[in-house]
């Protein structure tokens, strides 16, 4: 079998349906950041085990959970409260852990939905490591953490459905206001560490983490970043094929990037 990990903070609206989609597991853990609504009560009513911890930042919080939560099984599937596991994905992950072929984790494909539309093209990346052996996994970065692995990673078929606007546009903006603060802090921390930025390493480095670090630094140093983000998502990734939802989503992402730019400038002052 497989254990399930759900991170929560005031998720009373979404948690019930999320837990029902993973009810096949007899070891579901809700890792809660001191919710003030009925999240914990819903989790306990549906049979989940609850662990509470005050949130500090994404990487530290997730790493603590993987190290300290007592999972019953060696394999863990991580899902957010606004996500739902499809039947096809459930069947695929059982096949994967039955014959992992040396892999210590697996990527899954996530479908983001907005305005009743699957954002098939405008997503930055639809693949995420969500099935893994926790002893081989570590998270890095204060927000939008990078999942790093000390072993091979495979990929499974099926979809993980994501509804990031399920609580409304205001909630999305509020959440990304918080994310942009962490991103600005992360940018400043990156520039004060001992690693020098190298455009060559952004393309040529064989080490994934080193390459990703320099790729992000390359993007963060580009002028007109919000406009570039819009062009990337809407034109280069063909977000226009997602219709009005693609246009609105690309605009929101550009706005999010602009908040990061403004907050980084504020920290420099």
């Amino acid at each position: 079998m497989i254990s399930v990990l759900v991170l929560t903070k005031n998720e009373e609206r979404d948690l019930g349906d999320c837990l029902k989609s993973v009810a096949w597991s007899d070891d579901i853990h809700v890792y809660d950041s001191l919710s003030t609504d009925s999240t914990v009560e819903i989790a306990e009513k549906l049979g989940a085990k609850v662990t509470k911890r005050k949130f500090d930042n994404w990487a530290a919080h997730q790493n603590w959970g993987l190290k300290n939560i007592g999972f019953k099984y060696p394999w863990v599937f991580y899902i957010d409260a606004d996500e739902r596991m499809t039947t096809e994905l459930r069947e695929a992950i059982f096949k994967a852990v039955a014959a992992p072929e040396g892999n210590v984790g697996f990527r899954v494909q996530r479908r983001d939905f907005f305005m009743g539309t699957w954002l098939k093209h405008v997503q930055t990346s639809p693949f995420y490591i969500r099935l893994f052996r926790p002893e081989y996994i570590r998270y890095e970065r204060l927000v939008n953490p990078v999942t790093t692995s000390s072993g091979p990673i495979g990929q499974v078929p099926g979809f993980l459905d994501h509804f990031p606007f399920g609580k409304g546009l205001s909630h999305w903006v509020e959440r990304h206001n918080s994310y942009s603060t962490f991103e600005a802090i992360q940018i400043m921390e990156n520039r004060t560490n001992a690693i020098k930025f190298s455009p060559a390493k952004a393309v040529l480095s064989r080490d994934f983490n080193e390459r990703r670090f320099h790729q992000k630094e390359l993007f963060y140093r580009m002028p007109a970043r919000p406009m570039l983000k819009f062009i990337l998502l809407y034109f280069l990734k063909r977000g226009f094929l997602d219709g009005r939802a693609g246009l609105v989503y690309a605009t929101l992402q550009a706005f999010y990037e602009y908040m990061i730019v403004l907050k980084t400038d504020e920290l420099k002052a």
Side-chain angles (χ1 to χ4, degrees), residues 196-213:
K196 277 190 165 186
F197 167 62
S198 168
K201 288 182 178 180
V203 179
L204 302 175
S205 176
R206 293 185 178 182
D207 181 86
F208 171 81
N209 294 324
E210 181 178 56
R211 188 170 67 250
R212 186 172 177 83
F213 170 84

Side-chain angles (χ1 to χ4, degrees), residues 124 141 144 172 176-177 179-181 183-184 187 216 219-230 232-233 249-265:
T124 304
R141 300 190 83 251
N144 297 318
W172 189 94
H176 281 73
N177 182 41
Y179 289 174
S180 63
T181 299
E183 284 285 5
I187 290 171
K216 282 186 171 290
F219 180 64
Y220 287 145
R221 292 164 189 257
M222 288 182 174
R225 229 167 59 224
M227 184 180 296
L228 290 176
K229 185 74 168 283
F230 181 84
L232 169 66
L233 297 180
Y249 185 79
T251 303
L252 287 171
Q253 286 292 339
F255 169 67
Y256 170 53
E257 200 64 45
Y258 188 49
M259 287 195 292
I260 298 173
V261 171
L262 292 176
K263 291 181 180 183
T264 304
D265 290 342

Side-chain angles (χ1 to χ4, degrees), residues 69-180:
I69 293 176
F71 299 111
K72 181 178 180 180
Y73 301 109
W75 287 91
V76 172
F77 185 81
Y78 164 49
I79 183 171
D80 284 329
D82 58 359
E83 295 173 336
R84 311 286 179 263
M85 173 176 271
T86 61
T87 302
E88 295 78 11
L89 180 57
R90 181 189 67 203
E91 294 172 352
I93 68 170
F94 276 111
K95 290 180 182 179
V97 301
E101 299 181 348
N103 292 308
V104 300
F106 292 88
R107 294 183 184 88
V108 306
Q109 185 172 358
R110 193 174 74 177
R111 292 188 294 196
D112 285 10
F113 288 88
F114 178 41
M115 301 171 67
T117 301
W118 171 19
L119 300 175
K120 187 176 182 179
H121 303 89
V122 78
Q123 279 181 280
T124 304
S125 172
F127 294 100
Y128 300 85
I129 300 173
R130 292 300 190 88
L131 177 65
F132 49 75
R133 297 281 299 268
E135 66 269 28
Y136 294 100
I137 295 297
R138 181 170 178 79
Y139 296 99
E140 298 178 358
R141 300 190 83 251
L142 301 177
V143 67
N144 297 318
V146 176
T147 308
T148 63
S149 167
S150 57
I153 298 294
Q155 188 170 313
V156 293
F159 292 104
L160 181 66
D161 288 344
H162 182 217
F163 302 91
F165 295 90
K167 299 183 188 69
L169 183 60
S170 295
H171 179 268
W172 189 94
V173 172
E174 179 183 348
R175 194 169 189 178
H176 281 73
N177 182 41
S178 171
Y179 289 174
S180 63

